[in-house]
Amino acid sequence: MKNNISHSEAAEIFNKDVERVNWHDETLWFVREKRDRSAHQIPEWELLRETASQIKLNVLSNIHDYLVEFEANAQKNGIIVHWAANAEEHNVIVHSILEKHNVKQMVKSKSMLTEECHLNDYLTERGIDVIDSDLGERIVQLRKEPPSHIVLPAIHLKKEDVSETFYEHLGTEKGNIDPQYLTESARHHLRDIFLTRKAALTGVNFAVAETGEFVVCTNEGNADMGAHLADVHIACMGFEKLIPQRKHLGVFLRLLARSATGQPITTFSSHFKKPREGKEIHIVIVDNGRSVQLGREDFRNSLKCIRCGACMNTCPVYRRSGGHSYHNAVAGPIGSILAPNLDMKKNADLPFASTLCGSCTNVCPVKIDIHDQLYKWRQVLVQEGYTPKVKTIAMKTMATVLANPMVFDIAGKTGRFAMKNLSGLVNNKLNKWYDQREMPEVPEESFREWYKKNGKATKRKNDE
Amino acid sequence: MKVGLFIPCYVDQFYPKVGIATFELLQKLGCDVDFPMKQTCCGQPMANSGYQHLTKGCDANFITNFADFDYIVCPSGSCVMHVKEHLHSDTNEEEATRLRANVYELTEFITDILKVKSIEGDFPFKVGMHQSCHGQRGLKLSQMSELNAPFFSKPEQLLHNIKGLALVSLTRKDECCGFGGTFCVTEEAISVKMGQDRIKDHEKYQVDYITGGDMSCLMHLEGILRRQNSPIKIIHIAEILNSI
Ligand code: SF4
C-alpha cells in the first residue's frame, strides 16, 4: 500500500468531510445494531462464542497435527496442496499455477489474504488480468484503491462515488445513482467475465481437517460462479483457517454471518471437497508471519479471528477514521494487532489508534481479547523503540514527577501539572487539547489543599 | 472500616469539588475515610501510552500511601481499573495483591461493599449518563450493549431515589466519548469528533446535565461543550449523590 502517513494524520484528513464521516459512522453503526438484534435473539449466544473460542484455541495449540491431517485428507480428495512461508512464495505459487495452464485472466472472490500478499499487483506486473468479482471489491479495484473493510470493502464510498466510478469505467449513465441500476450494470459486466475466465481464485473461511474440504461463505454467490465455471480453482488460506471437524462448522456458521452483518447465515456457504472430472483444485496454505504471531504468547489469540468484521463495525475510532487510515490490508482493531506483527516499524502507530474502550472484545465471536492486546502491543512497541522520542522524554518527566509526592505538590501548585503535561505530549507547537476544546477552569485550591484545611473538621462534624 | 480516599491527580488539581463530594458522601454512609496526603497518580497515563515500565515509582508510592486501609475508593473507573490490573511491587507483592483486590470505584463500593441500594437526594434536572468504558467494560459497573445478558447498572441504581432527577435513555447507550488518555491529543481529530457525537446524543434528549463516573471523560466533554457555548453542563455522579 502506498500510504505513508500515520493513522492520526489520515484520520484528520478523513474528518475534514464531516458529512461523509457521519454517514460512514451511521452506516456501520446500523450494521452493528443489526448484529446486536440477531445475536440477542439467540439465548445461547455467549455460549456459542465461548465454544468457538475453545475450538480455535484447540486448533492453535495443535496446529501442526491439524495441518498434516488436512493436507492428507485434501490430497486424498484429489486437491493439490501448496505451502507458502510468506507473501512472496504465495504469489509465486499462484502465478506458477496460472502459467502452467497458460491462463492470462483470472476471476477472484473473497480473499483478504491476497490483499495481504499484494497478489493483484504481482500478477498484473506479470501480464495477468485479475478481476475482483465481488461487487464491493470490484468497485475499489476499478478505483485502484485497497478495500477499506474486510467484509464491506467499499463502505467508505457513497453511491455517488460508485456511480462516478462506473460511469468512468463501465460506461453507465452519468449521474445515475440508483443502486438497482448500478448493481445491475456491474452484474452484466461481471457475467461476461465469469463466462470467459479459465481460472478462479477464492479465499477460504473454514478448512476442515477431518474431511480435507473447505468452505467459502458469500452473499453474492460469485465465489461459486467463478469456481464452478473455471477449469482451475485456486483457494488461498492463512493456516489459522483450520477447524478440526465438520461438526464444528455449525458453531462458526451461526456466529460468522450474525457477527458480520446480522444475517442468520450467509446466503451461500459453499463446500468444496474434490475437483470435478478434468478440473483442478489447488489450496495454498500461507504462513506469512502467522507462526511468529503464534509464538508470541500475548498475541497468539489474534489468530482465532474468523474475519467477521464485527470489531470494525463497533469500533468508534474505525467508524470515524475509515479503513484506509489503518494502512494495512486488515483495518480496525484486529488489524491493529495483526499489522505490527507483519511490520513493527511501519505499523507502530496502529495499536495507539484506540481508546481501549473494549467494545471490540465484547463483540468478537471468538472472544479475542482485542483491547488488551492493543495495550500489550503498546508496551512492546515502546520497548522496541518505535515511539517518538519526545513522547518518551515527556513520559519520563511525568513518571518522575508523579512518583514523587513533594515534586508533584509543587508542580501542581505552580502549573496545574497534569493538564500541561498532557498537552505537551505531542511534538507540536499547537496545544492539541485546545484546538477544539476549552481547558478546564482552574479552581482556587486543589482537593488536597481543601482537605488539609477542612478534612479533619468535616470528619469531626460527622462523628458528632 | 477504614477507607482510603484515592483522588486521581487531575481531579485533585482541576475538580476538587468531585473529591469533596466523594469524601462527604462516604462519610455520610458511615465510612471512616482518610485522604493520604502523599498520594499522586496511579500511573495510568504512562501505562496506557506504552510506558508501563515507568510506573514503578507510582506503584511504590501508591502502596505506601494506602497500606493502612481496608478499602481504597476512587471516583474514577479508569484509575481503579488500572490499579486493579497493573499494580505490582518488586519488594512487597503481597501488599500489592491485597490492594488490587480492595480497590473500588465509588458506585461499586457503595452498592457491592456498603450494600446501599439507593441514595436520597435532590437534583431536579434532566440528566444523561455517560457510561465510561473503563468503568463499564473494564469493571463491569453495568451491562454492556454488546453482550447477550440481562440489564443492570450500579450507578443508575443509585440515582433512582434522587428527587426530581429524570434520567434519559441515550440512543447509543455505551459509546465511547473519545477521551482515551493521551489518545485525546495524539488522535485529536477522532477524539474531538467522538466527543461531539457523544454530546449530540445527549442533546437529542435535551438534557441539562451530562453525568458519569469518570471525570476524565467528563473533562473532555466539558471542553467541547464550553467551546460550543452549549448550555449543557457536566457533573460527576458523586456530586449528584451528595446533593443533600
Ligand atoms: S477479531 Fe473477532 S470481531 Fe474482529 S474480525 Fe476477527 S473474529 Fe471478527
Side-chain angles (χ1 to χ4, degrees):
Chain A
M1 240 164 275
K2 289 170 220 83
N3 210 331
N4 295 322
I5 62 173
S6 70
H7 178 273
S8 65
E9 289 166 320
E12 196 174 331
I13 296 167
F14 190 70
N15 269 263
K16 292 244 151 50
D17 186 345
V18 178
E19 250 175 68
R20 185 177 287 268
V21 179
N22 287 343
W23 179 84
H24 192 257
D25 167 50
E26 277 154 25
T27 312
L28 289 164
W29 183 255
F30 175 78
V31 183
R32 150 79 207 267
E33 284 189 312
K34 254 182 95 187
R35 171 256 170 222
D36 291 351
R37 276 195 298 278
S38 81
H40 293 184
Q41 267 168 16
I42 298 190
E44 69 276 23
W45 180 256
E46 300 303 333
L47 178 65
L48 267 179
R49 288 176 69 217
E50 182 57 31
T51 310
S53 168
Q54 296 291 341
I55 295 170
K56 279 287 182 183
L57 268 181
N58 173 348
V59 169
L60 294 179
S61 307
N62 302 286
I63 193 82
H64 169 84
D65 296 341
Y66 287 126
L67 281 170
V68 171
E69 187 186 346
F70 175 76
E71 180 184 40
N73 287 328
Q75 283 170 342
K76 244 184 262 161
N77 297 334
I79 294 176
I80 303 156
V81 180
H82 309 259
W83 299 88
N86 52 37
E88 174 74 18
E89 277 188 33
H90 163 267
N91 294 346
V92 169
I93 291 167
V94 173
H95 184 227
S96 68
I97 299 169
L98 297 176
E99 267 199 322
K100 193 181 106 199
H101 291 272
N102 207 12
V103 172
K104 286 274 169 255
Q105 293 165 319
M106 177 179 82
V107 277
K108 205 180 98 192
S109 166
K110 289 285 157 206
S111 173
M112 284 311 291
L113 177 65
T114 56
E115 286 296 325
E116 176 187 319
C117 297
H118 305 296
L119 177 72
N120 281 17
D121 288 346
Y122 182 92
L123 292 180
T124 310
E125 278 162 26
R126 283 155 188 81
I128 290 173
D129 189 14
V130 186
I131 308 278
D132 279 315
S133 66
D134 300 292
L135 186 53
E137 257 140 34
R138 184 67 185 139
I139 297 167
V140 290
Q141 189 185 32
L142 289 173
R143 296 170 64 92
K144 300 203 174 13
E145 286 174 6
S148 70
H149 186 292
I150 55 177
V151 176
L152 311 160
I155 195 68
H156 59 293
L157 298 171
K158 293 179 158 186
K159 50 183 193 285
E160 289 79 11
D161 306 316
V162 176
S163 166
E164 197 51 39
T165 307
F166 282 6
Y167 162 70
E168 215 175 283
H169 296 277
L170 307 182
T172 55
E173 270 168 50
K174 190 168 176 64
N176 191 335
I177 55 164
D178 176 27
Q180 181 80 28
Y181 167 74
L182 293 172
T183 318
E184 258 326 281
S185 314
R187 282 249 158 84
H188 281 301
H189 151 75
L190 285 170
R191 193 136 302 173
D192 291 341
I193 291 167
F194 281 127
L195 292 171
T196 51
R197 295 310 187 267
K198 280 217 200 88
L201 186 146
T202 70
V204 170
N205 287 90
F206 305 101
V208 185
E210 173 195 38
T211 57
E213 74 193 300
F214 60 93
V215 176
V216 185
C217 302
T218 73
N219 274 327
E220 296 169 33
N222 296 341
D224 310 74
M225 217 184 307
H228 290 156
L229 290 171
D231 296 333
V232 185
H233 175 185
I234 306 168
C236 299
M237 60 179 261
F239 70 52
E240 80 284 7
K241 295 283 171 181
L242 274 178
I243 58 171
Q245 292 174 296
R246 208 183 218 180
K247 69 175 186 198
H248 297 135
L249 274 171
V251 174
F252 291 102
L253 291 178
R254 292 183 77 193
L255 284 168
L256 177 65
R258 284 184 174 87
S259 300
T261 56
Q263 293 165 267
I265 195 157
T266 44
T267 316
F268 302 90
S269 301
S270 313
H271 295 239
F272 296 92
K273 192 167 181 189
K274 54 174 70 155
R276 279 168 299 145
E277 278 279 307
K279 316 267 172 170
E280 279 179 20
I281 297 182
H282 295 257
I283 285 192
V284 190
I285 302 174
V286 181
D287 181 335
N288 203 34
R290 286 165 178 74
S291 48
V292 177
Q293 190 85 326
L294 191 64
R296 297 185 204 269
E297 207 188 319
D298 285 341
F299 305 112
R300 67 191 294 244
N301 246 343
S302 60
L303 296 175
K304 293 194 297 191
C305 177
I306 58 171
R307 302 288 194 268
C308 70
C311 57
M312 303 176 184
N313 302 339
T314 204
C315 177
V317 176
Y318 175 90
R319 273 188 266 117
R320 292 174 183 83
S321 49
H324 290 156
S325 64
Y326 292 82
H327 52 79
N328 185 52
V330 181
I334 182 66
S336 299
I337 301 174
L338 298 174
N341 177 56
L342 288 171
D343 186 338
M344 255 192 239
K345 186 160 187 261
K346 184 169 157 263
N347 299 310
D349 54 331
L350 296 182
F352 294 90
S354 164
T355 58
L356 306 180
C357 78
S359 188
C360 46
T361 302
N362 275 351
V363 291
C364 179
V366 286
K367 287 194 167 182
I368 300 173
D369 48 341
I370 306 176
H371 74 293
D372 287 332
Q373 291 194 34
L374 291 171
Y375 176 90
K376 286 173 183 161
W377 261 127
R378 294 180 184 188
Q379 312 305 325
V380 173
L381 291 163
V382 165
Q383 297 286 332
E384 303 275 333
Y386 291 119
T387 36
K389 272 215 180 61
V390 43
K391 192 168 176 182
T392 305
I393 295 165
M395 283 296 164
K396 281 195 174 139
T397 319
M398 198 159 166
T400 317
V401 175
L402 294 176
N404 190 328
M406 237 170 59
V407 181
F408 176 74
D409 201 26
I410 297 163
K413 275 195 198 111
T414 49
R416 298 298 170 207
F417 164 80
M419 183 58 63
K420 264 184 104 186
N421 225 284
L422 214 59
S423 51
L425 276 180
V426 277
N427 184 16
N428 196 329
K429 273 185 243 95
L430 298 164
N431 175 344
K432 277 286 186 185
W433 174 277
Y434 189 66
D435 249 7
Q436 303 183 69
R437 284 168 287 216
E438 294 295 324
M439 302 290 277
E441 271 162 3
V442 180
E444 290 288 312
E445 55 183 5
S446 66
F447 173 73
R448 79 187 57 225
E449 283 158 0
W450 176 88
Y451 189 83
K452 226 185 268 174
K453 283 189 245 160
N454 308 302
K456 290 265 154 49
T458 313
K459 279 179 83 165
R460 239 179 289 121
K461 200 174 83 207
N462 275 311
D463 289 344
E464 276 161 13
Chain B
M1 180 192 294
K2 279 186 73 179
V3 175
L5 187 57
F6 162 35
I7 297 296
C9 44
Y10 68 95
V11 174
D12 175 39
Q13 300 292 326
F14 294 107
Y15 297 97
K17 281 197 321 206
V18 176
I20 297 169
T22 308
F23 175 65
E24 290 181 348
L25 180 64
L26 287 171
Q27 294 238 315
K28 274 189 218 164
L29 296 172
C31 302
D32 175 10
V33 199
D34 244 319
F35 174 79
M37 287 301 244
K38 290 194 169 156
Q39 61 179 289
T40 56
C41 165
C42 61
Q44 184 185 214
M46 277 98 74
N48 276 5
S49 307
Y51 295 80
Q52 198 187 310
H53 63 288
L54 295 180
T55 59
K56 287 202 171 132
C58 281
D59 283 1
N61 192 42
F62 191 92
I63 294 169
T64 327
N65 272 288
F66 289 102
D68 289 339
F69 297 96
D70 303 317
Y71 294 101
I72 300 141
V73 179
C74 169
S76 160
S78 72
C79 303
V80 169
M81 193 181 110
H82 173 75
V83 173
K84 250 191 190 325
E85 294 191 346
H86 303 296
L87 183 81
H88 288 288
S89 167
D90 292 338
T91 51
N92 197 355
E93 186 58 21
E94 205 180 317
E95 184 59 14
T97 307
R98 189 187 75 83
L99 292 183
R100 283 200 308 275
N102 291 302
V103 60
Y104 285 89
E105 186 274 342
L106 177 65
T107 63
E108 80 174 330
F109 180 73
I110 297 175
T111 54
D112 293 1
I113 302 300
L114 300 180
K115 308 274 184 212
V116 169
K117 292 222 158 51
S118 67
I119 289 179
E120 306 252 321
D122 191 9
F123 197 71
F125 297 102
K126 214 172 185 190
V127 176
M129 168 104 188
H130 172 65
Q131 293 275 18
S132 291
C133 306
H134 285 180
Q136 187 182 25
R137 299 200 186 83
L139 299 173
K140 310 215 175 345
L141 299 182
S142 53
Q143 192 44 263
M144 301 148 265
S145 62
E146 301 92 8
L147 298 183
N148 191 353
F151 172 83
F152 73 92
S153 169
K154 294 175 190 182
E156 281 185 31
Q157 175 194 332
L158 293 179
L159 291 174
H160 278 322
N161 264 358
I162 305 288
K163 245 198 334 212
L165 186 145
L167 195 65
V168 306
S169 181
L170 298 165
T171 303
R172 297 189 188 179
K173 294 198 173 3
D174 46 16
E175 173 103 322
C176 175
C177 70
F179 171 68
T182 50
F183 180 90
C184 73
V185 288
T186 53
E187 288 269 2
E188 188 253 0
I190 300 291
S191 172
V192 168
K193 178 67 177 137
M194 285 169 70
Q196 289 169 342
D197 289 352
R198 200 68 194 119
I199 287 168
K200 272 200 204 109
D201 200 350
H202 286 82
E203 276 170 347
K204 212 160 68 186
Y205 298 94
Q206 298 169 322
V207 302
D208 304 305
Y209 282 91
I210 299 176
T211 192
D214 226 314
M215 208 53 225
S216 52
C217 306
L218 295 178
M219 171 173 75
H220 158 69
L221 294 176
E222 183 191 43
I224 298 170
L225 284 167
R226 283 185 33 225
R227 177 60 58 92
Q228 296 174 340
N229 284 320
S230 167
I232 298 176
K233 293 182 279 292
I234 60 124
I235 188 163
H236 190 275
I237 193 167
E239 296 175 88
I240 299 182
L241 296 175
N242 190 44
S243 60
I244 54 170

